[in-house]
Amino acid sequence: MTAFDLPSYVTVVMDTLAAAGHRGYLVGGSLRDLLRGVTPHDFDMTTDALPEEMLEIFKDFRVIPTGLKHGTVTVMSDGNPIELTTHRVDGDYRDARHPESVSFTRKLEGDLSRRDFTVNAMAWNPETGLVDLFGGQADLQAGILRAVGDAQTRFREDALRILRLCRFSAKLKFDIEPDTLAGAARAVEGLSLISVERIFSEITRLLEAPDAERGLSALCAVKCEKYVFFDTVSGVNAKKLNELPSDAALRMAYLLPHLSREQALQLARRYHAPNSFGEALGAFVEGARERLPEDAYEARKFTTRYWHHWRGVLALQAAGGKNIAVAEQLCAKVSRDGSAVEVRRLAVNGKELQEKLGVLPRRTSELLLRLQDLVWRDPELNKRAPLLEAAARICEKERDFCE
Ligand code: ATP
Ligand code: MG
């Protein structure tokens, strides 16, 4: 029997259930990770205790009723959250995502057979040892992802599993068993019913995984690119994707190099992604096509424009075959010495230009950009008096700034 070195905040939950005549089993990703020698990032458990019984058994713990209707509570054990779910069997699925009903069962078997892949469908408890009804342990050792039960049926029930399949292949670097892959390919239309938020969450996790290339080739093998990237894609080339920094926006920009900044923002909005993702994606698709800086002035311009994305932009250019050595050195220097000055860090502001020199409000930002360009050329100029003088000289020559 496998014995794990479990933290005491986990065993105390199992012991509390046992003392009440029930059993708590480790399940899902936490067990999978323990079996492959990786420390789990969280611990999920399943139990034969019904929801109201769990509340009674853990009355001396802080319990958050996370999803009580679905049989899930979060037990705070010594400050750590443990998700505890009553064994469940799902009812019929009608919309390729949500079961019509869930029912609770005292039997672990039912709970395990509704899980997606054999490596995710094992359970462990100190008394029973490993409960492995579908050959999960063997698949884990062989590095294989295999659907529990009939693959096509399982993917038809819930199309999100198709993306989970690709994501796990990228995360675990596992091969996909042929019938599982074929079943996923046949159920791919169900993805049109999956919410964009979930698609975004799966694709970003896949892209950031250690073997994103493998995940992408699985996505392409089941032909679900258009459900993931919508109309932005006609084909994807994921070669060398793993060599790029593990950043979802950057890697997505690499896959969709033809997007304009505006199209990138549109795609991010379509995913309901955070603004920061859209901004990063936009910067990356645009920056990947930009001419590389060759001197300090150009480097200041470049790093100000791409700001904290400049390193990623250069990584994309390198992946595209450019020699970035000089640009990288220049950009690193100007971002270190603070000479890549943004408009708001100029030594004069718009109000001063208007009050002191009579610059028209509608021409003020243009003048500030001119001053910024001068400062990029000569960082010493970024002091109040010399900068006001420079502004006055411009206004003298080009009178329409003031009248
Ligand atoms: P991760 O390390 O990414 O958290 P995980 O396997 O723990 O991986 P979760 O999404 O946390 O994944 O789900 C926990 C467990 O619940 C899974 O291991 C699997 O057994 C089951 N599960 C989750 N989502 C589904 C689904 N859509 N269909 C079937 N089973 C699922
Ligand atoms: Mg998990």
Side-chain angles (χ1 to χ4, degrees):
M1 188 177 77
T2 326
F4 301 116
D5 204 6
L6 292 174
S8 58
Y9 69 84
V10 177
T11 51
V12 81
V13 173
M14 288 180 173
D15 294 346
T16 307
L17 283 162
H22 292 280
R23 262 193 195 137
Y25 296 86
L26 272 186
V27 279
S30 49
L31 178 57
R32 180 193 70 223
D33 288 345
L34 283 169
L35 288 168
R36 67 191 183 106
V38 172
T39 308
H41 53 82
D42 52 19
F43 289 90
D44 288 342
M45 279 192 216
T46 178
T47 178
D48 58 321
L50 296 171
E52 54 279 22
E53 291 169 338
M54 292 195 286
L55 295 178
E56 176 60 25
I57 294 166
F58 289 97
K59 63 178 182 313
D60 295 336
F61 290 69
R62 189 156 88 83
V63 174
I64 304 158
T66 325
L68 204 57
K69 260 199 347 224
H70 300 104
T72 303
V73 298
T74 304
V75 176
M76 295 306 294
S77 176
D78 201 13
N80 303 284
I82 306 271
E83 272 213 352
L84 189 56
T85 305
T86 304
H87 301 330
R88 295 186 336 194
V89 278
D90 294 339
D92 287 344
Y93 287 80
R94 264 195 220 141
D95 62 356
R97 176 68 197 115
H98 298 103
E100 291 297 297
S101 59
V102 290
S103 35
F104 303 126
T105 167
R106 298 275 185 194
K107 296 226 180 333
L108 175 66
E109 292 72 20
D111 184 273
L112 294 182
S113 53
R114 78 176 171 84
R115 293 175 183 270
D116 47 8
F117 307 114
T118 61
V119 295
N120 288 348
M122 295 179 273
W124 183 88
N125 165 282
E127 282 143 57
T128 60
L130 188 68
V131 182
D132 178 13
L133 310 174
F134 309 104
Q137 176 74 309
D139 283 343
L140 195 62
Q141 265 152 18
I144 291 174
L145 288 165
R146 185 193 310 271
V148 171
D150 176 63
Q152 195 178 336
T153 310
R154 303 309 310 287
F155 292 116
R156 287 246 155 93
E157 282 172 1
D158 178 1
L160 186 70
R161 291 173 188 151
I162 300 169
L163 300 184
R164 287 173 60 87
L165 177 71
C166 302
R167 191 227 320 159
F168 283 123
S169 80
K171 172 181 166 140
L172 304 171
K173 306 188 180 182
F174 280 15
D175 292 328
I176 299 172
E177 179 270 326
D179 284 345
T180 301
L181 192 69
R186 282 196 288 269
V188 87
E189 276 143 39
L191 279 169
S192 58
L193 299 166
I194 301 293
S195 78
V196 287
E197 288 87 350
R198 301 195 86 116
I199 290 179
F200 179 69
S201 158
E202 290 297 330
I203 188 62
T204 50
R205 289 165 81 180
L206 183 158
L207 287 172
E208 289 178 358
D211 199 349
E213 267 173 68
R214 186 191 290 260
L216 249 298
S217 76
L219 271 181
C220 296
V222 300
K223 297 208 165 42
C224 66
E225 303 94 311
K226 71 170 177 179
Y227 299 98
V228 174
F229 301 115
F230 311 110
D231 47 8
T232 61
V233 69
S234 47
V236 285
N237 177 6
K239 246 195 244 143
K240 299 200 178 169
L241 187 62
N242 293 349
E243 290 167 30
L244 286 166
S246 164
D247 176 296
L250 185 146
R251 288 183 169 184
M252 198 179 282
Y254 178 76
L255 295 176
L256 307 172
H258 54 282
L259 294 190
S260 66
R261 192 176 194 130
E262 190 41 49
Q263 287 169 320
L265 292 172
Q266 264 169 21
L267 176 60
R269 279 196 293 271
R270 193 148 177 192
Y271 284 132
H272 297 174
N275 285 343
S276 57
F277 181 87
E279 278 156 27
L281 186 64
F284 289 137
V285 292
E286 190 175 81
R289 291 186 284 259
E290 180 92 274
R291 201 176 67 82
L292 288 173
E294 290 173 1
D295 58 30
Y297 161 68
E298 289 180 359
R300 289 181 191 115
K301 219 166 154 169
F302 190 89
T303 48
T304 309
R305 173 155 200 177
Y306 294 109
W307 213 234
H308 38 259
H309 301 304
W310 70 261
R311 282 185 190 280
V313 167
L314 291 186
L316 283 167
Q317 295 244 2
K322 293 267 168 57
N323 182 348
I324 60 160
V326 172
E328 196 166 28
Q329 227 172 26
L330 289 167
C331 290
K333 183 171 178 302
V334 301
S335 31
R336 234 187 353 257
D337 68 18
S339 64
V341 171
E342 298 162 277
V343 164
R344 62 187 173 84
R345 286 184 48 233
L346 288 174
V348 295
N349 61 34
K351 201 157 159 265
E352 273 175 296
L353 295 178
Q354 290 169 14
E355 285 172 3
K356 296 226 168 357
L357 307 176
V359 175
L360 296 169
R362 63 181 166 80
R363 302 293 311 275
T364 306
S365 50
E366 194 187 331
L367 185 56
L368 284 167
L369 290 176
R370 295 276 291 271
L371 297 179
Q372 181 186 36
D373 198 73
L374 291 176
V375 168
W376 283 338
R377 286 177 198 280
D378 174 14
E380 287 301 307
L381 195 64
N382 197 18
K383 294 184 190 97
R384 207 164 161 279
L387 211 50
L388 274 176
E389 266 170 46
R393 272 197 303 276
I394 294 175
C395 292
E396 203 145 304
K397 266 207 221 127
E398 298 170 51
R399 299 210 164 259
D400 54 357
F401 273 109
C402 299
E403 52 198 46

